[in-house]
Amino acid sequence: MHRRIYLIALSTVGLLVSLLVAPATASADGTSIVPTHLPYPSTGTTAIGTGIDGTNQNAQLTETLPAAVARSWRNAPPTCPQSNGMTASTISVTKTFTIVDETGYQCSYVSAYLTTTGALQWRKRYHLAFSATVTDGKVFVLHDLPDTGGSRVDALSARTGGVLWSAQQGISADQRESVGSGLVARSSSVLSAATGKPAFDLGMRFGEHGQTLISGGRLYLAGDGGVQAFDTRGKQVWATRYPAGGYGYSANVNGSMPSLHEGLLYTPGTVTTVFGAKTGRIVRTLPPSATSWAFDGRVGFATTTGTAAVPATGGASGTPAVPATLRAFDLTSGKVLWTRALPLVGGSGQAPSEASAAPVVANGIVWLAHTADSGSPTGILAVDERTGAVRNSIVDACSAGGGTGNLVVAQHRLFVSTGCGVQSYVPSR
């Protein structure tokens, strides 16, 4: 996901930390949010992919990670030539391995680290790997073909990194794969996850581009003008246009992604359109989110983007900066339960810090990574799910560039993408 570059640099880490603890705006019933606390399994939670689980929910995980965390291991591949850092585009965590797609300038690596220590297990280099999706002991790497154009999917062994199969998968602006039900889908192209052979193509009814989500024996294709649902043989089950004024995929290329939560499909666009997953009926619309939504029961968490301040010049009056926000919504009424403003940074506080990854909800805490630009460090917020109050704020030591990958809570650890690779955190007490 390309991020806009601000010209205003971060003046001091101290300013960032002071702004992080600015009070949230809470509604009168904000404390009605009841976090879902589930007993964690003895092996810890396994989190996979950019949406934490197969349905891209970023939802309440069965974890007990507290808000107070301390730095653990960090690892990254060699820096690409002419690149100022390596950013983790996708992070997937299992009990044994943490598998990361790491990207710099004109080169990428897919690396497997021991989840407990960060020790490198294997590494494979690509020209540009868009994403690495892990499931059923395989790593599905979507990467470009610099000489011929188009792209390929490599299926690697998660244990060794060996190539199991490799297949071409057309041309699409979508830089994420969805894997499930024995299928690998990117936009309308669907392959067999076992062999890489073409399974079928989904007929795109609503425009030329789309994002595909596989879940519960259905393939959901969110296109420019509407959404289609298919069974696992490629037969269309339903097709519904977005409401008047709604516009889909192209407005959110590589930003927020479709999510499935409690039988409802949340699709990005100029608004977030909520469909009944079985029927395709439009249930409601919610505000758009700059990143994928996170969920906990009847509450959803979304982000907005900010705008930089415009100084007064000549006879024209300037405009103040507008901060980016993290907001909690009642998913039924659409009411905002609380709002947390992200910091403004720079010598005079003129540039907003933006969410660099979708929020993740675990153990009553909403975790959010954010950064101002490619020259600023990555900030991490732990926000109380019930009230929006900041429980912890961290500024990562790396300042080679802001992270743009996902954030993961798994195995009682926090994993964050920075400009210097993956940084992990463990409970500090």
Side-chain angles (χ1 to χ4, degrees):
M1 177 174 63
H2 297 290
R3 297 186 57 78
R4 52 186 172 180
I5 305 301
Y6 296 104
L7 298 178
I8 302 171
L10 179 68
S11 60
T12 63
V13 169
L15 175 62
L16 178 60
V17 173
S18 66
L19 287 167
L20 282 173
V21 296
T25 300
S27 68
D29 63 347
T31 55
S32 65
I33 299 175
V34 179
T36 304
H37 295 281
L38 300 175
Y40 62 88
S42 59
T43 57
T45 297
T46 295
I48 296 295
T50 56
I52 299 301
D53 57 21
T55 55
N56 194 39
Q57 295 182 68
N58 299 298
Q60 270 280 357
L61 302 176
T62 53
E63 279 287 359
T64 57
L65 185 73
V69 292
R71 289 181 179 87
S72 182
W73 61 262
R74 184 204 294 275
N75 211 335
T79 302
C80 300
Q82 304 180 44
S83 179
N84 69 342
M86 298 298 293
T87 295
S89 299
T90 59
I91 305 171
S92 298
V93 180
T94 70
K95 180 181 178 181
T96 304
F97 298 121
T98 295
I99 298 176
V100 189
D101 170 27
E102 300 157 307
T103 301
Y105 179 71
Q106 293 192 344
C107 85
S108 296
Y109 297 86
V110 175
S111 305
Y113 306 108
L114 276 183
T115 295
T116 53
T117 66
L120 178 66
Q121 301 304 291
W122 55 260
R123 176 170 284 152
K124 186 174 178 61
R125 181 167 177 168
Y126 291 91
H127 175 261
L128 179 58
F130 301 115
S131 61
T133 303
V134 183
T135 186
D136 294 332
K138 295 179 182 178
V139 185
F140 298 91
V141 181
L142 177 63
H143 63 96
D144 73 341
L145 296 171
D147 297 328
T148 61
S151 60
R152 292 188 74 83
V153 180
D154 290 353
L156 311 180
S157 164
R159 185 176 61 87
T160 67
V163 178
L164 303 175
W165 55 257
S166 182
Q168 192 158 347
Q169 199 172 26
I171 299 174
S172 173
D174 190 8
Q175 296 183 0
R176 295 287 186 268
E177 294 278 6
S178 185
V179 183
S181 298
L183 302 171
V184 180
R186 178 195 185 202
S187 190
S188 61
S189 175
V190 185
L191 307 176
S192 163
T195 66
K197 294 180 179 180
F200 46 81
D201 283 331
L202 304 176
M204 293 205 64
R205 181 171 174 179
F206 301 119
E208 299 179 355
H209 303 287
Q211 293 174 312
T212 308
L213 174 68
I214 304 176
S215 181
R218 290 285 184 268
L219 292 81
Y220 302 97
L221 179 58
D224 299 317
V227 177
Q228 298 163 265
F230 302 85
D231 65 20
T232 54
R233 295 168 295 182
K235 180 181 178 181
Q236 182 175 287
V237 178
W238 56 259
T240 306
R241 291 188 177 277
Y242 294 121
Y247 197 73
Y249 173 79
S250 296
N252 288 271
V253 173
N254 300 325
S256 56
M257 298 165 61
S259 306
L260 188 67
H261 176 63
E262 294 191 343
L264 298 176
L265 182 71
Y266 293 74
T267 60
T270 51
V271 297
T272 299
T273 307
V274 185
F275 297 86
K278 290 184 177 181
T279 65
R281 182 176 64 87
I282 295 177
V283 176
R284 66 182 66 91
T285 60
L286 294 166
S289 180
T291 58
S292 295
W293 284 73
F295 301 95
D296 184 16
R298 59 186 287 265
V299 182
F301 302 89
T303 61
T304 65
T305 58
T307 58
V310 177
T313 57
S317 59
T319 58
V322 177
T325 66
L326 168 67
R327 296 189 290 177
F329 287 87
D330 183 302
L331 292 173
T332 301
S333 69
K335 182 177 182 179
V336 177
L337 302 176
W338 53 255
T339 298
R340 159 61 53 188
L342 303 187
L344 297 172
V345 297
S348 56
Q350 293 187 357
S353 181
E354 306 277 7
S356 57
V360 173
V361 189
N363 195 34
I365 299 168
V366 185
W367 293 93
L368 184 73
H370 61 93
T371 189
D373 55 48
S374 63
S376 299
T378 300
I380 304 159
L381 282 179
V383 177
D384 189 288
E385 179 186 354
R386 297 165 298 173
T387 65
V390 172
R391 299 269 300 277
N392 194 9
S393 60
I394 304 166
V395 176
D396 189 88
C398 171
S399 59
T404 57
N406 60 306
L407 179 150
V408 174
V409 176
Q411 303 297 325
H412 319 301
R413 294 173 178 264
L414 171 70
F415 299 83
V416 182
S417 171
T418 77
C420 305
V422 175
Q423 174 68 63
S424 66
Y425 295 82
V426 294
S428 60
R429 53 178 172 80

